[in-house]
Amino acid sequence: MVDLEDTEKLLVSSIESIYGVDLTKNDRLVLLYDQACPLCSQLALRYGIEKHFGPVVLLDARKQPCVAEVCKRAGFDLNEGVLVSHAGNLFFGHQALSYLNQVGSLQGWVGSIMAIFLRRPVFSRIAYPLLKTMRSVLLKITGIPKL
């Protein structure tokens, strides 16, 4: 979890103005990710978070090209991970993965097994580089450029 310091507050303000969404609403979970990435989009859709929070706001970083640069300047390279905003907190990369597994659950029996491990930050920290590598390979195979 990342406390919202000045840089992060500027990032939140930028994302809010670009997408027209309020990230500070405590009951709203916002996921900023690369929808063109097959792995990212499948994970984003399979987390069952809506059961706990209602509609999740999914923001595609590719629809607003300046967002990736704003995030990168704030220390969140969207080529390296997803960004989750919830209850005034930002979660990035393996922390976002761990948080999503704590508040939601992947569908199916494979998802249940994965969730047992990925809820724990130590396991999500180990698994995340593998997921990033899989993302890079999938983007290369499909001919999709990085953000």
Side-chain angles (χ1 to χ4, degrees):
M1 178 177 69
V2 177
D3 291 325
L4 296 182
E5 298 298 324
D6 290 339
T7 305
E8 286 83 12
K9 287 179 184 173
L10 179 61
L11 171 63
V12 167
S13 173
S14 297
I15 292 172
E16 287 176 335
S17 68
I18 291 168
Y19 287 99
V21 63
D22 181 2
L23 297 184
T24 60
K25 287 182 81 172
N26 286 343
D27 60 340
R28 178 177 285 164
L29 190 137
V30 179
L31 179 64
L32 180 60
Y33 72 111
D34 180 5
Q35 188 177 6
C37 167
L39 181 63
C40 303
S41 60
Q42 284 303 307
L43 286 175
L45 298 173
R46 302 240 181 255
Y47 262 103
I49 299 165
E50 295 86 3
K51 294 176 189 173
H52 302 283
F53 298 106
V56 173
V57 180
L58 298 174
L59 302 178
D60 179 8
R62 288 192 186 264
K63 287 189 178 174
Q64 299 289 340
C66 61
V67 149
E69 186 55 40
V70 170
C71 288
K72 195 173 195 173
R73 277 188 264 133
F76 303 105
D77 184 350
L78 295 177
N79 285 308
E80 297 295 318
V82 300
L83 185 65
V84 172
S85 171
H86 184 244
N89 296 303
L90 291 178
F91 303 91
F92 180 72
H94 75 85
Q95 292 176 332
L97 182 65
S98 180
Y99 188 72
L100 289 172
N101 275 287
Q102 289 171 22
V103 299
S105 59
L106 287 169
Q107 307 300 312
W109 66 273
V110 173
S112 298
I113 292 169
M114 286 179 59
I116 291 169
F117 294 104
L118 296 178
R119 279 188 183 115
R120 293 168 178 81
V122 69
F123 289 116
S124 65
R125 188 176 293 127
I126 292 167
Y128 208 75
L130 201 84
L131 293 171
K132 287 190 323 186
T133 301
M134 286 173 57
R135 175 186 185 271
S136 293
V137 169
L138 285 171
L139 289 179
K140 190 169 277 209
I141 289 171
T142 57
I144 299 169
K146 288 188 173 189
L147 292 170

